[in-house]
Amino acid sequence: MLVLAATPIGDPQDASPRLRRWLGEADVLAVEDTRRLRRLCAALDVSPRGRVVVHHEHTEDGLVAELLGEIRAGRHVVVVTDAGMPTVSDPGYRLVAAAAAEGLPVTVVPGPSAVVSALAVAGLPTDRFCFEGFVPRRAGERATALAALAGEVRTMVFFESPHRVAATLTAMSGAFGAERSGVVCRELTKTYEEVRRGTLGDLAAWASAATVLGEITLVVRGASRLPVVPVGELVVAVEDLVAEGARLKQAVADVATHAGTRRNELYEAVLAARATQSSVG
């Protein structure tokens, strides 16, 4: 089968027992960097017995057929990246898609993820979020991509390289607004872990003045869902729909959905307004 195995994003002690087992028992280990693999295995006191192949963005296309052949022959192919979960801004997607298309077995060894780790410590809403990976490197393309996300209401998680983080935060400040909350998570689980919170404007100024090093994950609060509309205006909108022939409950549902307010609260407000008008009349 094909095994996607998550590796520690920093501290080797985060490695799971299943990762240790698969590193030692795999028939084929597909890895991004053989030096990283050696260091990880040394830290975990594991001695791989399988064949090791270099599997990264530049070699993946050429390896897919070979690795699928290994799986068809009854061998276990284990994919590991330098850190975190394979396929998440890392190699593995093409291989998984090809294996799935053939109906070959694919399984996962869960483990550390910079995405959910950063989301957890950021202190921003976690009920809904999206992962946007790396923003484009070119300034124009980056500005276009961020402008398209300006209205995104979910918390957003990005990866970024340390030498581009200042430019990205500056672009985010311009696209999302300097007062939008953000968090820079640097070197998570490592010795010099840092979680810096603030507005995008403040974070951009900090990154521009500092020498930022290490692995970077950015977390940005989503946009406000909808502007607050006075309840009186919503009641008028409901009554306008009713006057045009809509049933009261449907009119309330339509206006509440558009305004982002609770239906029952708006319904009670309409009834209260009608009662007030009746008493005045």
Side-chain angles (χ1 to χ4, degrees):
M1 67 172 67
L2 174 62
V3 181
L4 305 173
T7 54
I9 60 175
D11 193 330
Q13 296 183 74
D14 292 334
S16 70
R18 288 184 65 207
L19 173 63
R20 288 181 169 89
R21 178 170 68 85
W22 278 116
L23 288 175
E25 296 180 3
D27 297 303
V28 180
L29 276 167
V31 307
E32 272 194 279
D33 188 325
T34 56
R35 294 168 299 179
R36 293 281 190 97
L37 175 67
R38 286 196 296 269
R39 287 199 294 269
L40 178 61
C41 288
L44 302 180
D45 193 25
V46 174
S47 298
R49 67 173 179 81
R51 181 168 66 93
V52 177
V53 297
V54 177
H55 175 252
H56 50 58
E57 60 179 333
H58 302 299
T59 64
E60 184 171 17
D61 284 340
L63 280 174
V64 167
E66 175 187 337
L67 295 178
L68 291 182
E70 296 281 6
I71 298 169
R72 291 192 212 98
R75 300 184 182 92
H76 295 309
V77 174
V78 177
V79 177
V80 296
T81 61
D82 290 345
M85 178 61 69
T87 78
V88 181
S89 283
D90 271 322
Y93 166 74
R94 297 181 184 86
L95 180 57
V96 173
E102 287 197 27
L104 296 174
V106 181
T107 191
V108 64
V109 177
S113 166
V115 177
V116 294
S117 297
L119 181 69
V121 303
L124 296 177
T126 59
D127 55 335
R128 296 184 67 210
F129 70 94
C130 59
F131 174 57
E132 294 294 329
F134 288 90
V135 298
R137 297 185 181 189
R138 296 180 183 275
E141 295 174 359
R142 180 169 57 229
T144 299
L146 293 176
L149 292 171
E152 173 59 67
V153 299
R154 295 172 295 181
T155 298
M156 295 172 282
V157 184
F158 302 84
F159 286 162
E160 191 49 280
S161 66
H163 64 274
R164 289 197 301 271
V165 68
T168 294
L169 286 168
T170 299
M172 287 179 172
S173 178
F176 302 155
E179 296 305 311
R180 181 85 70 93
S181 298
V183 183
V184 177
C185 300
R186 190 179 69 82
E187 294 289 270
L188 287 175
T189 78
K190 300 183 179 72
T191 302
Y192 298 104
E193 174 179 294
E194 178 181 17
V195 178
R196 182 175 290 268
R197 303 175 178 86
T199 65
L200 290 176
D202 288 343
L203 292 173
W206 162 77
S208 298
T211 300
V212 183
L213 302 174
E215 302 287 336
I216 305 293
T217 305
L218 305 176
V219 187
V220 181
R221 181 183 290 275
S224 299
R225 294 183 180 273
L226 287 171
V228 177
V229 179
V231 67
E233 294 184 17
L234 299 181
V235 169
V236 170
V238 169
E239 295 291 15
D240 286 345
L241 290 177
V242 171
E244 293 173 1
R247 298 178 62 183
L248 176 58
K249 287 188 176 181
Q250 186 59 54
V252 167
D254 291 345
V255 173
T257 299
H258 181 73
T261 191
R262 297 178 183 274
R263 296 184 184 186
N264 60 338
E265 292 179 1
L266 179 55
Y267 185 79
E268 293 297 329
V270 172
L271 295 182
R274 287 183 174 185
T276 300
Q277 289 174 356
S278 297
S279 63
V280 172

